[in-house]
Amino acid sequence: MKYTHLVCGLLLSTAFASTAYATSFCQKAEHDINTAYQNFRNFDDVGVFDKFDDNAENLLTLVLNTFNNKQSLYCHWSNLKEFDIHKSPDGRLLSISWATDGGGTMKTFDTVLQYHDGKHLHATNIDVGAVLNIEQMRLNKQPVYFITDWGAGYTSLHGQSISLFGIKNHQITPAKLIKTKQGLTHQISFAYNPFSIPDDMDELIHIHPKRQEFSIPVVIENDAYPNGEVTKRTLRYRFDGKHFVYAK
């Protein structure tokens, strides 16, 4: 019995020590990222403007290093107020986005994706805007993640896209499964005037995992909305066993 109590005590001590270490890591990571973000956002202060690119690169490097650390899997990130974080339904893919524009009406972002399968972990910077949502489908016995994002050129010119990513050798890779006239691609994007969105339209991109399809709105350029009027008509793409093809 004494031996059993000793083993249980050691296990509990190890568990508490691991939890304490993870908590310490998370607190320091949140503090460091928030500090780096504030340094980056203060680029327009006197004498700091020249450091804008350096601060932006430092922030990105810090986020990448943090999310490539396995301890990050234990963090909730509730104190990263200036960052937009989303997770896939299976909890294995996480996105973190933050604004990189210099102000005004332009909205550009940096985004890092982190993927883990319990044994392997990988984080990488991807060329999308601010993530709005992450969905997933299991296609050809492999998980495929659908990421929707947005950005803005100026007040009346916004853009959204849907991007597909798969996992190869435990790393996040573009999944070129969308068949278009130009060939196979992993991403479809469109520009639009946000003031043209119908009042009863909450989302522009719809993903339907059970039906294995997704849709984007038909956007028309006209005199009233030269940057594109969002209509209630949609373009649907359905998985045919190999690719997502336009479905009439």
Side-chain angles (χ1 to χ4, degrees), residues 2 37 49-50 55 113 122 127 129 141 144 148 154 168 195 200 202 209 215 218 233 236 238:
K2 291 182 178 180
Y37 182 79
F49 183 81
D50 291 339
N55 289 342
L113 289 184
H122 180 69
D127 186 20
K141 300 181 179 180
V144 176
T148 57
Y154 49 89
K168 186 175 182 180
F195 300 107
D200 57 351
D202 296 326
S215 64
V218 173
R233 290 184 290 154
R236 292 188 302 121
R238 181 175 296 166

Side-chain angles (χ1 to χ4, degrees), residues 28-93:
K28 185 178 185 305
E30 287 183 326
H31 174 269
D32 291 348
I33 291 175
N34 281 329
T35 299
Y37 182 79
Q38 290 306 316
N39 290 337
F40 164 67
R41 296 306 295 175
N42 291 334
F43 70 91
D44 56 351
D45 288 348
V46 177
V48 183
F49 183 81
D50 291 339
K51 296 183 179 180
F52 175 77
D53 290 337
D54 290 340
N55 289 342
E57 186 64 28
N58 290 339
L59 175 58
L60 176 58
T61 299
L62 176 61
V63 173
L64 283 170
N65 289 341
T66 300
F67 283 83
N68 269 308
N69 190 312
K70 288 186 177 181
Q71 292 298 320
S72 66
L73 298 177
Y74 300 98
C75 302
H76 299 293
W77 307 118
S78 58
N79 290 321
L80 296 183
K81 304 300 184 182
E82 303 297 330
F83 295 78
D84 200 9
I85 297 175
H86 294 271
K87 280 189 176 182
S88 60
D90 63 6
R92 292 187 171 186
L93 186 71

